[in-house]
Amino acid sequence: MDKLHHHQQLQQQQLSLAKCSRQRCNEWIFRDVPSDITIEVSGGTFALHKFPLVSRSGRIRKLVAEHRDADISRVELLNLPGGAESFELAAKFCYGINFEITSANVAQLCCVSDYLEMTEEFSKDNLGSRAEEYLESVVCKNLEMCVEVLQQCENLLPLADDLKIVSRCIDAIASKACAEQIASSFSRLEYSSSGRLHMNRQAKCDGDWWIEDLSVLRIDLYQRVMTAMKCRGVRPESIGASLVNYAQKELTKKSSLWNPSSQTKVDLISTGHERLVVETIVNLLPVEKLTVPISFLFGLLRSAVMLDCTIACRLDLERRIGSQLDIATIDDLLIPSFRHAGDTLFDVDTVHRILVNFSQQDDSEDDMEDASVFESDSPHSPSQTALFKVSKLMDNYLAEIAPDANLKLSKFMVIAETLPEHARTIHDGLYRAIDIYLKAHQGLPDSDRKKLCKLIDFQKLSQEAGAHAAQNERLPLQAIVQVLYFEQIRLRNALCCSYGDEDHKPMPQSWRISSGALSAAMSPRDNYASLRRENRELKLELARLRMRLNDLEKEHVCMKRDMQKSHSRKFVSSFSKKIGKLSFFGHSSSRGSSSPSKHSHITDSRVNERTCASTE
């Protein structure tokens, strides 16, 4: 229906133009000489004379010569480029009436002169040569004129292409833009304080003024202009800026897609033109990174998903985003799901593919940089820094999608498991996301809860997160025991640092843990039994510690009484010997504390209570 309506409108416009042409025609034809030929063009008629026409137009001359015996008086010119308006200009030229050739009509004149065969063969300084001369000497020297001619060529294809009008204008635009950019670069050159010549990056680049001009072109011609600019060596940043400007103008109806925070509904029925625009812009994107904002790439990806663009188009965008995922934001990742009502709120599969692209790109960069000064797993290497940023981003993303009731456990886990273990130095964000998921999916079976909690390394929880996890009833029992176990180890290490000495005795076996305290080779039942056994040992060790602290308090009270009775140096000597015999944690120590900390006693009692609670 839309195509039929558009065709009807076009016919009406052509008829109105033809009517206007007839009215204007009566103003400049010879009124005192009767007309002997009628020309029909696009539904319009022109009452003219044979002699002026056949003297300039080879096509009309042949038609008249073929029907000499029949004395032809009516000729219909089918598919004349430019319609009645172009023919009127050609007829005026045949009658010797002056008119101005401009960038707005030169393409029409070139095409209609070729159709009517108005060449030098039939008349000197004919319309074809006049139009060609103006195109070469005037239009191709000016970028704005070239753009205007290309706009006129949109309705003159494929003849304008065959006559190389389009290609000449495109080459002129690319050359002019490249020359402007070079001149702008030279203007930004300046000498530094050391006398070296360098480019001033802060100075505004005036060589990209053409970006706004090109945004009026149709997508097929715009694509050809951008391709020519790439071949000419125009800067990738300028190409990217032009693509952003063009996309935002062409896709204004989908403006909500360019604002990640906007969640307004958009019409799922989209035109083929918008799909073509997205796919073309993706194909034109420079291969260099950071030539377009990553938010623009996410906007294109949203459009590609919504418009159901080709798989190759979407995969290309996912690969480009994955290569610079470390500079993305949480709003960028929240891509709405445009499928059916029972699906998740956000497109998790697309984000997973982006994350896989990042991981693969990161691995390839590590392989390429083996000889660099940075180690691949060094926390100071660029790839490791990107990993830290992406891991934090993914933890925040998981926390955002976790409340979705339709989010399956497998999709949640595959996002959490994609990054390598060394990507997260602290697991607070992952624990928070898992806790939100458990809260939103309270009917989750115990086996799935255990599977989910295995993603957390409880040794990498901060003190606050560990305290929260120890009291979190949503976690399975095995996870809570692990939290308590590592909390006690942390407390033990803190006490050792506070009261320990340089000559430490070897620590009991129960205190020795590595970064993988629970062996992956052991079954869950063996792990749980091992934890309970080590917990008992910890309980006994803490009980011994408490007894020693009680003994120390008693000794302190007695020595305080003795000091009040006697202030002799001999007593002080015996006091120091007694202190030397006392050991806080089973070590020999040459230094001690004259008064045990009340806070240490309270902390110990709390730890003992927590240990008993976890064992029960």
Side-chain angles (χ1 to χ4, degrees), residues 417-432:
E417 292 175 331
T418 302
L419 292 175
E421 292 183 3
H422 64 274
R424 293 181 176 91
T425 55
I426 187 168
H427 276 219
D428 285 14
L430 182 60
Y431 165 71
R432 172 174 167 266

Side-chain angles (χ1 to χ4, degrees), residues 51 56 84 109 156 197 205-206 219 308 351 465 482 523 547:
F51 178 74
R56 294 280 190 176
L109 293 176
L156 299 173
L197 194 63
C205 180
D206 298 326
I219 184 61
D308 196 23
V351 174
Q482 291 184 50
S523 66
M547 290 175 62

Side-chain angles (χ1 to χ4, degrees), residues 328-437:
T329 64
I330 184 64
D331 288 335
D332 293 331
L333 291 177
L334 296 178
I335 304 172
S337 182
F338 295 102
R339 296 176 186 173
H340 49 81
D343 201 0
T344 54
L345 182 62
F346 298 107
D347 193 343
V348 181
D349 295 332
T350 298
V351 174
H352 174 241
R353 289 193 297 271
I354 292 173
L355 188 58
V356 170
N357 275 297
F358 170 78
S359 301
Q360 293 175 348
Q361 171 258 345
D362 182 65
D363 292 340
S364 63
E365 284 189 358
D366 286 345
D367 295 338
M368 293 172 62
E369 295 176 0
D370 282 342
S372 67
V373 295
F374 297 111
E375 296 294 335
S376 61
D377 56 352
S378 169
H380 299 290
S381 66
S383 59
Q384 191 66 25
T385 303
L387 270 176
F388 291 160
K389 291 180 180 178
V390 172
S391 65
K392 187 175 180 180
L393 178 66
M394 286 298 113
D395 290 345
N396 291 332
Y397 176 74
L398 288 172
E400 287 289 336
I401 66 174
D404 190 351
N406 294 327
L407 181 61
K408 296 179 181 179
L409 178 65
S410 57
K411 288 191 175 183
F412 183 91
M413 291 189 64
V414 77
I415 295 290
E417 292 175 331
T418 302
L419 292 175
E421 292 183 3
H422 64 274
R424 293 181 176 91
T425 55
I426 187 168
H427 276 219
D428 285 14
L430 182 60
Y431 165 71
R432 172 174 167 266
I434 290 176
D435 185 43
I436 294 173
Y437 187 86

Side-chain angles (χ1 to χ4, degrees), residues 123-151:
S123 177
K124 189 178 180 181
D125 291 334
N126 214 339
L127 182 60
S129 60
R130 294 278 187 91
E132 283 290 332
E133 182 183 1
Y134 183 83
L135 185 67
E136 288 291 338
S137 61
V138 179
V139 173
C140 289
K141 306 295 184 183
N142 187 283
L143 190 145
E144 294 95 331
M145 285 187 173
C146 288
V147 173
E148 189 175 359
V149 171
L150 285 180
Q151 281 187 281

